[in-house]
């Protein structure tokens, strides 16, 4: 099909010039429009409409269709309008038709248009009708121009509105983006502050936990130290109690016996062991048996502390007199002459020993040198010295490796080292 390429007014002018039927085909994008166009594109339809029709194709979505529908109402799409020379629709095909139906209608419209033209040539058509058609076309053209201007103004206004709207939208977008950035920054700041707060809280919890652990360890350590100290004290107490028990047992064992040293006026002494329940009288009887009548009547006393036992004390036990487990008792003669006599005899023997000891020593040294071999000389001298000292040990006093004669002051000094409970020389 050969379609007219110009506008509708140009197509109308061409149809009037050729005295043909003006055909407007309005199509859309549906299947019926496609079927209608396929019917118009067939060879038989093209041949039938070639010399009797000026056909133009209009899209249903275009502005031309809108303008055309203001003059000729478009009821449905697709539609085919056959318009005569005077602007009156000769045939309107609504929807899609077949090729034969379309060809038949084209022939009928062509016949109707031919009859109309013949009637106009015989005088039935007045010049006013042609003028009315031209006026109508001119009015339509003017109206189309006005609508085009209105459309242009509307488009400009729309463009202006769109620009204003675009700028407004852009400003709103910028404000929205700025608000979003601010909210994001605020949210990040809050998140950071929250993380810092959580970190501080976690750090505080860790510190508190560390403090609790330290306190727990300190408490456990203190508890362990307390338990160790308690156990140590208990062990010490048990050990002390055991030692006390052992000491008490030993004390009781020792207290069961009393070791008494009797010191005589001449400085000699003897010792004996008694039961702790033994009376002091029995101990005095033992001492009397040992010394005989050498000192006559004597009494008993302790030097430290100074105490002389009376007749009442003789009836008491050694335990009651606190003479256990050991003690030193001095025999005190009742008559002073015996003591003086003993001391005088002791002094004479000491003087004789002092005079004879050097001579005896020289004689033994010479005899040992003459009658014995040299290796045994020192041994003989030592033996002689030992025998002399064993014979009279009370007449000499040893200071280191030096022996000297004993005096009365030495005896008093030796006696001063003894007390009533001393056990130094037992």
């Amino acid at each position: 099909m050969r379609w007219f390429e110009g506008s509708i007014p140009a197509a109308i002018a061409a149809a009037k010039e050729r005295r043909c039927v003006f055909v407007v085909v309005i199509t859309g994008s549906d299947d019926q429009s496609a079927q209608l166009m396929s019917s118009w594109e067939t060879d038989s339809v093209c041949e039938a409409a070639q010399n009797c029709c000026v056909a133009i194709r209009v899209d249903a979505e275009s502005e031309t269709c809108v303008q055309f529908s203001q003059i000729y109402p478009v009821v449905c799409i697709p539609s085919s309008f056959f318009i005569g020379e005077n602007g009156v629709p000769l045939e309107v095909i609504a929807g899609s038709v077949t090729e034969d139906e379309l060809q038949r209608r084209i022939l009928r419209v062509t016949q109707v248009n031919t009859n109309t033209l013949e009637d106009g040539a015989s005088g039935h058509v007045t010049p006013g009708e042609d003028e009315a058609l031209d006026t109508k076309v001119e009015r339509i053209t003017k109206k189309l121009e006005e609508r085009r201007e209105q459309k242009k103004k509307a488009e400009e206004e729309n463009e202006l509105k769109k620009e204003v709207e675009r700028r407004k939208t852009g400003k709103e977008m910028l404000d929205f983006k700025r608000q979003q950035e601010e909210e994001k920054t605020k949210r990040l700041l809050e998140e950071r502050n929250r993380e810092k707060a959580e970190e501080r809280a976690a750090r505080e919890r860790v510190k508190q936990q560390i403090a609790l652990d330290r306190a727990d360890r300190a408490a456990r350590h203190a508890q362990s130290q307390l338990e160790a100290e308690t156990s140590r004290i208990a062990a010490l107490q048990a050990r002390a109690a055991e030692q006390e028990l052992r000491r008490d047992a030993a004390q009781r064992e020792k207290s069961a016996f009393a070791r008494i040293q009797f010191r005589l006026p001449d400085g000699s002494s003897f010792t004996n062991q008694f039961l702790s329940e033994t009376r002091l009288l029995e101990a005095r009887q033992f001492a009397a048996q040992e010394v005989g009548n050498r000192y006559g009547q004597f009494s008993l006393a302790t030097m430290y502390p100074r105490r002389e036992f009376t007749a009442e004390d003789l009836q008491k036990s050694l335990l009651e007199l606190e003479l256990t487990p050991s003690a030193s008792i001095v025999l005190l003669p009742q008559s002073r002459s015996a003591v003086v006599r003993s001391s005088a005899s002791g002094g004479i023997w000491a003087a004789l020993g002092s005079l004879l000891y050097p001579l005896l020593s020289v004689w033994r040294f010479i005899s040992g040198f003459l009658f014995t071999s040299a290796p045994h000389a020192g041994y003989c001298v030592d033996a002689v010295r030992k025998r002399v000292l064993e014979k009279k040990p009370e007449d000499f006093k040893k200071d280191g490796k030096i022996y000297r004669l004993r005096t009365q002051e030495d005896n008093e000094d030796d006696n001063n080292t003894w007390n009533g409970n001393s056990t130094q020389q037992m």
Side-chain angles (χ1 to χ4, degrees):
M1 182 65 183
R2 185 177 179 181
W3 302 97
F4 188 80
E5 299 295 335
S7 62
I8 291 179
I12 293 173
K16 283 185 177 183
E17 184 180 357
R18 292 173 55 186
R19 302 180 67 84
C20 296
V21 178
F22 177 51
V23 180
V24 178
V25 179
I26 300 174
T27 60
S29 58
D30 54 349
D31 295 337
Q32 292 185 359
S33 298
Q35 293 177 2
L36 179 62
M37 290 304 298
S38 64
S39 299
W40 276 101
E41 295 293 338
T42 58
D43 294 338
S44 59
V45 173
C46 290
E47 184 178 357
Q50 182 177 3
N51 296 322
C52 63
C53 296
V54 176
I56 185 173
R57 181 181 176 183
V58 179
D59 190 4
E61 302 294 333
S62 63
E63 185 64 24
T64 303
C65 179
V66 175
Q67 296 174 357
F68 180 79
S69 63
Q70 293 179 356
I71 301 173
Y72 300 99
V74 179
V75 179
C76 66
I77 297 173
S79 299
S80 300
F81 290 86
F82 297 88
I83 301 173
E85 187 177 359
N86 55 359
V88 178
L90 301 178
E91 182 76 24
V92 177
I93 301 175
S96 177
V97 293
T98 60
E99 177 184 352
D100 295 337
E101 181 66 21
L102 183 58
Q103 185 178 2
R104 185 178 62 80
R105 291 196 179 189
I106 290 173
L107 293 177
R108 187 176 62 184
V109 169
T110 302
Q111 185 65 34
V112 172
N113 187 41
T114 303
N115 295 332
T116 303
L117 291 176
E118 289 178 355
D119 292 340
S122 61
H124 292 285
V125 180
T126 61
E129 293 179 355
D130 294 336
E131 292 178 358
L133 183 59
D134 294 337
T135 303
K136 193 173 183 179
V137 171
E138 184 178 357
R139 181 168 54 82
I140 291 173
T141 303
K142 185 183 289 186
K143 186 178 290 187
L144 290 175
E145 290 294 334
E146 291 177 355
R147 288 186 176 277
R148 192 177 292 110
E149 291 294 332
Q150 292 176 357
K151 183 179 180 181
K152 185 177 180 180
K153 289 181 179 180
E155 289 178 354
E156 291 178 355
E157 291 178 356
N158 289 333
E159 289 293 331
L160 183 59
K161 289 180 180 179
K162 287 180 180 179
E163 182 66 20
V164 173
E165 188 68 23
R166 185 183 65 79
R167 292 183 180 181
K168 183 179 179 181
T169 304
K171 184 178 180 181
E172 290 177 354
M173 288 295 294
L174 291 176
D175 294 340
F176 180 71
K177 287 182 179 180
R178 185 169 60 254
Q179 185 178 0
Q180 280 187 338
E181 290 294 332
E182 291 177 356
E183 290 179 356
K184 184 177 180 181
T185 304
K186 184 178 180 180
R187 189 166 57 252
L188 291 176
L189 184 60
E190 291 177 354
E191 184 70 21
R192 185 175 180 182
N193 293 333
R194 185 170 63 254
E195 290 178 356
K196 287 185 178 180
E198 291 177 356
E199 185 178 357
R200 284 196 299 270
R203 193 160 49 246
E204 290 297 328
R205 288 195 298 272
V206 171
K207 288 182 179 179
Q208 292 177 1
Q209 187 64 35
I210 292 174
L212 290 176
D213 293 341
R214 288 179 178 175
D216 189 17
R217 287 197 299 271
R220 289 200 302 270
H221 182 65
Q223 184 68 22
S224 62
Q225 285 186 343
L226 181 60
E227 292 177 356
E229 186 68 18
T230 304
S231 61
R232 187 179 67 83
I233 293 174
L236 290 177
Q237 292 177 353
R239 193 179 299 112
E242 184 179 357
Q243 291 178 357
E244 187 68 22
L245 291 176
R246 291 179 181 178
R247 192 181 301 110
D248 293 341
Q251 188 69 22
R252 286 194 301 271
E253 183 179 355
K254 289 181 180 180
S255 298
F257 297 93
R259 185 178 181 83
I260 305 299
Q261 182 186 47
F262 297 92
R263 290 184 57 82
L264 304 179
D266 59 357
S268 61
S269 63
F270 59 91
T271 305
N272 189 35
Q273 185 172 339
F274 301 93
L275 293 175
S276 59
E277 300 297 332
T278 303
R279 293 181 300 169
L280 182 60
L281 179 61
E282 296 178 4
R284 187 182 182 286
Q285 292 174 357
F286 172 78
Q289 291 177 2
E290 289 291 330
V291 299
N293 295 324
R294 187 168 33 171
Y295 302 105
Q297 294 295 325
F298 59 88
S299 62
L300 302 179
T302 57
M303 300 303 295
Y304 297 99
R306 183 71 178 179
R307 178 183 180 185
E308 186 173 354
F309 297 105
T310 61
E312 295 179 358
D313 295 333
L314 294 177
Q315 301 301 324
K316 295 181 181 180
S317 65
L318 300 178
L319 182 61
E320 293 175 349
L321 295 174
E322 298 181 354
L323 298 177
T324 56
S326 62
S328 178
I329 298 178
V330 180
L331 275 67
L332 300 177
Q334 296 292 335
S335 62
R336 189 66 179 173
S337 60
V339 177
V340 173
R341 188 168 53 251
S342 176
S343 299
S345 62
I348 293 171
W349 280 107
L352 290 176
S354 300
L355 294 175
L356 296 177
Y357 180 73
L359 297 176
L360 183 59
S361 299
V362 172
W363 165 250
R364 288 181 179 177
F365 176 74
I366 294 173
S367 62
F369 181 77
L370 293 176
F371 300 105
T372 59
S373 59
H376 298 284
Y379 174 76
C380 292
V381 172
D382 294 337
V384 170
R385 183 180 301 171
K386 184 175 181 181
R387 284 196 299 271
V388 171
L389 294 177
E390 289 178 354
K391 182 178 180 181
K392 272 298 199 177
E394 67 276 4
D395 295 335
F396 302 95
K397 183 176 181 180
K398 181 179 178 182
D399 291 335
K401 294 184 179 181
I402 300 174
Y403 291 87
R404 63 180 177 83
L405 293 174
R406 185 183 296 274
T407 63
Q408 186 65 29
E409 295 179 356
D410 295 332
N411 293 331
E412 292 179 358
D413 292 338
D414 291 339
N415 291 333
N416 290 337
T417 60
W418 295 93
N419 55 34
N421 294 325
S422 176
T423 59
Q424 293 178 2
Q425 298 184 5
M426 293 186 179

